[in-house]
Amino acid sequence: MLTGFREAFTLIIGGDSQLMEIVLLSLRVSGIALALSTIIGIPLGALLGLARFRGRRLSVALVYTGMAFPPVVIGLFVYLMLSRSGVLGGLNIAWMPRLFTPEAMIVAQVIIAFPLVAGFTMAAVQGVDPALRLQVQSLGASRWQTTWAILDEARVGVIAAVVAGFGGIISEVGAVMLVGGNIEGQTRVLTTAIVLETNKGNFGLAMALGVILLSMAFTTNFIILRLQGRSFDE
């Protein structure tokens, strides 16, 4: 084990090319997925938290269900949709993501992350004092201005929602394994590479990848705690 740790830190400090390629692809896929999830999730969460409309309860239930949905099932769903015999894959549209590509992995991660972003955003805006909304509206603010004011007041919770979305996808393995295929140099990301290298007995690289992934997870949780005004001393 000590030998594995030494090799792992040697790879990290030395900037091993294979290691960096996996890390950069992981950040690219998860970064794009998080950006798309944020664009979809924050407006949806604000709508569910502030508006009252027919079907809202069902929409909220679907968001909560999505927050707890097994990622591997989402991966299976995307696989079936994008396969050549699937509903979307069979359309042969040029811009449609193909299986075993980073784009397919992004689609799966967006479906995983946006319910998290939407759900936590909804909770954040619902926690804002209702008096603020009345006060802003009494000053003649439009609906969009009122929504923006509430989101600004709930910005800590909204940022935490985005961070939680990132944490949910950067450490996911089942969905990206199904739709990405773990192809070297093309779709191999941190989690799938750890599984592969462990099975191959290449514990040095696997542990190096694990250290990086754990560092990302720790950073994500640290940011959430700081945004909530807490510290590890409490």
Side-chain angles (χ1 to χ4, degrees):
M1 180 175 289
L2 291 177
T3 302
F5 271 115
R6 284 197 296 267
E7 184 180 350
F9 282 105
T10 299
L11 291 172
I12 294 173
I13 295 173
D16 180 74
S17 59
Q18 183 181 4
L19 177 66
M20 292 300 106
E21 180 182 48
I22 294 170
V23 172
L24 291 176
L25 179 60
S26 300
L27 292 175
R28 180 167 71 88
V29 170
S30 295
I32 295 174
L34 181 65
L36 295 175
S37 301
T38 301
I39 293 172
I40 300 171
I42 290 179
L44 178 61
L47 176 66
L48 294 176
L50 299 175
R52 296 295 180 268
F53 53 89
R54 180 176 297 179
R56 178 181 176 275
R57 290 186 178 180
L58 176 60
S59 300
V60 171
L62 290 174
V63 168
Y64 282 146
T65 301
M67 293 174 70
F69 217 65
V72 69
V73 178
I74 293 176
L76 176 61
F77 171 78
V78 175
Y79 183 95
L80 294 176
M81 289 294 102
L82 297 182
S83 65
R84 292 185 178 181
S85 59
V87 176
L88 300 178
L91 296 177
N92 293 321
I93 301 176
W95 51 264
M96 187 69 63
R98 306 296 180 184
L99 284 176
F100 311 126
T101 62
E103 289 73 24
M105 297 161 67
I106 291 171
V107 171
Q109 290 197 355
V110 167
I111 297 175
I112 293 170
F114 98 82
L116 294 171
V117 177
F120 285 118
T121 298
M122 179 180 65
V125 299
Q126 286 179 332
V128 174
D129 189 346
L132 174 65
R133 185 175 185 178
L134 296 175
Q135 181 181 7
V136 172
Q137 289 176 336
S138 67
L139 295 174
S142 65
R143 179 178 299 178
W144 291 110
Q145 289 172 325
T146 301
T147 301
W148 182 258
I150 294 173
L151 282 173
D152 183 61
E153 183 68 19
R155 61 185 178 277
V156 172
V158 174
I159 295 173
V162 176
V163 175
F166 178 75
I169 57 179
I170 193 64
S171 59
E172 200 285 319
V173 59
V176 294
M177 182 77 82
L178 277 173
V179 302
N182 197 26
I183 303 172
E184 184 177 1
Q186 298 183 41
T187 60
R188 185 165 297 170
V189 292
L190 284 167
T191 50
T192 59
I194 290 173
V195 174
L196 177 66
E197 298 302 330
T198 300
N199 290 335
K200 289 167 56 178
N202 191 358
F203 297 112
L205 180 56
M207 292 174 71
L209 294 166
V211 168
I212 293 173
L213 186 58
L214 284 173
S215 299
M216 290 181 179
F218 175 82
T219 302
T220 300
N221 289 323
F222 179 79
I223 292 173
I224 292 176
L225 288 174
R226 295 297 297 174
L227 289 171
Q228 292 174 341
R230 302 176 184 175
S231 69
F232 290 99
D233 297 329
E234 296 179 353

